[in-house]
Amino acid sequence: MEKVKAFADWLTKWFTVIVIVWAVFNYFVPAASLWGKAYTGYMLGIVLFGMGLTLTLDDFKRILTQPLMVIVGTVAHFIIMPLIAVALCAIFHLSGPLAVGVILVGCCPSGTSSNVMSYLSRGDVALDVSIGILSTLCAPFMIPLLMQLLASQYVSVPTQSLFLNAVKVVLFPIALGVICHMIFGKKIEKVTVALPIVSQVAILLIIGVVVAANGPKLFVASSLVAIPVVILHNLCGFGFSKLMYKIYPKGFRYAQQKAITFEVGMQDSALGATLALTSFATNPLAAVPSTFFSVWHNISGSILS
């Protein structure tokens, strides 16, 4: 188990570099990952099943013990990032699938990477985890609603498909993981050591699929504009922690502000890419912003933490 943990730590430390190398490899050898296009939902389901395995009733109780901060943080996430996405689409004159992809990643819940960054920066990890849980559980309902409101001007939004796919790849795996944890208890701890490896490999496979499916379109002018948009999207999301302090100064002190910084600014881009590939299958370009986000937010988050 020590070797497994050591490898998991190594993989986490070098994950951003590995993502870049893997993306480049798939750009030149798309056949390495194209086979997985039909399985991205299952790959993400594995990640979220692992998340469920790590959750206990205490994690859910924590949401009830500090409801104001968790609710404010979750609401802020689902307001700030989608609106920033819409503003950036207008500023950069994005349209079609690329605009949809930017808004889609903005509507996603917070990514699990935010927990790591919050820990490294000595933020309130418990608050970070609680907001992450609530925002993820709300995602199947919030993503279709927000996409219909904000992205329907660019393409026809398959609201029902978004909802059903989000339920399948988010709620079912998490619920199954929580149930398994309740049944097997401490025996699960032997498995959770390997979960970071499984999750990161699954995310790499999803990124590989997106790059392979969009290879010829990635480095044309119409796609490259997504890079500065994604960078600004992420950095703007990092800038709202002080606002939380003004809303609730007794709760959002320095450690809590750090947690909010990463919770708001870091998205579950793997979910964004998966939903783009499943619900917007005829427009695979919609998955490109999520892929760029996956690479960039790990870089910016590491530097900021």
Side-chain angles (χ1 to χ4, degrees):
M1 282 298 171
E2 287 298 322
K3 290 183 179 180
V4 173
K5 188 177 185 304
F7 179 68
D9 292 340
W10 177 88
L11 190 61
T12 300
K13 180 180 179 180
W14 296 102
F15 188 64
T16 301
V17 176
I18 294 169
V19 166
I20 296 171
V21 172
W22 178 242
V24 171
F25 174 75
N26 278 277
Y27 177 76
F28 290 106
V29 191
S33 294
L34 273 178
W35 60 268
K37 189 173 180 180
Y39 304 103
T40 53
Y42 297 105
M43 295 172 192
L44 185 63
I46 291 170
V47 176
L48 291 169
F49 173 71
M51 176 183 175
L53 282 178
T54 64
L55 298 177
T56 65
L57 290 178
D58 288 337
D59 293 308
F60 294 96
K61 288 178 183 177
R62 196 185 303 118
I63 296 175
L64 300 176
T65 57
Q66 46 183 359
L68 182 58
M69 286 196 292
V70 175
I71 292 171
V72 168
T74 303
V75 170
H77 185 91
F78 281 121
I79 291 176
I80 291 168
M81 293 304 278
L83 292 182
I84 292 174
V86 171
L88 288 171
C89 286
I91 292 169
F92 284 84
H93 304 290
L94 299 186
S95 61
L98 206 60
V100 169
V102 170
I103 295 173
L104 179 57
V105 75
C107 295
C108 286
S110 56
T112 52
S113 297
S114 67
N115 301 341
V116 177
M117 302 308 169
S118 185
Y119 171 76
L120 293 175
S121 67
R122 298 181 183 178
D124 188 335
V125 179
L127 176 62
D128 192 293
V129 171
S130 297
I131 295 173
I133 293 170
L134 186 58
S135 66
T136 301
L137 294 176
C138 292
F141 309 96
M142 294 303 299
I143 292 174
L145 174 63
L146 290 169
M147 288 297 290
Q148 183 61 41
L149 289 173
L150 304 176
S152 56
Q153 59 181 308
Y154 300 109
V155 298
S156 176
V157 176
T159 308
Q160 184 176 0
S161 172
L162 273 174
F163 172 73
L164 293 176
N165 284 325
V167 168
K168 283 192 293 185
V169 301
V170 176
L171 291 188
F172 284 173
I174 290 178
L176 184 60
V178 171
I179 291 169
C180 287
H181 194 152
M182 292 173 66
I183 293 173
F184 297 105
K186 291 187 177 181
K187 294 179 181 178
I188 291 294
E189 292 177 7
K190 296 179 180 179
V191 179
T192 55
V193 176
L195 287 179
I197 299 172
V198 175
S199 297
Q200 287 166 331
V201 169
I203 290 170
L204 283 171
L205 290 173
I206 293 170
I207 291 171
V209 169
V210 176
V211 173
N214 290 285
K217 303 175 184 177
L218 279 179
F219 295 106
V220 298
S222 58
S223 299
L224 285 174
V225 70
I227 295 177
V229 170
V230 161
I231 291 172
L232 287 171
H233 194 185
N234 168 242
L235 295 180
C236 289
F238 281 156
F240 283 85
S241 60
K242 295 294 182 184
L243 177 62
M244 299 298 104
Y245 176 75
K246 290 181 179 180
I247 292 174
Y248 186 40
K250 290 183 179 180
F252 289 106
R253 300 188 180 277
Y254 192 42
Q256 289 71 40
Q257 288 177 47
K258 291 178 184 178
I260 286 291
T261 295
F262 294 112
E263 272 302 309
V264 173
M266 301 186 74
Q267 303 294 89
D268 189 347
S269 46
L271 174 60
T274 301
L275 292 178
L277 289 171
T278 52
S279 296
F280 297 96
T282 56
N283 295 302
L285 198 62
V288 169
S290 291
T291 303
F292 288 152
F293 208 104
S294 293
V295 177
W296 169 252
H297 79 166
N298 281 294
I299 297 172
S300 64
S302 299
I303 294 170
L304 184 60
S305 65

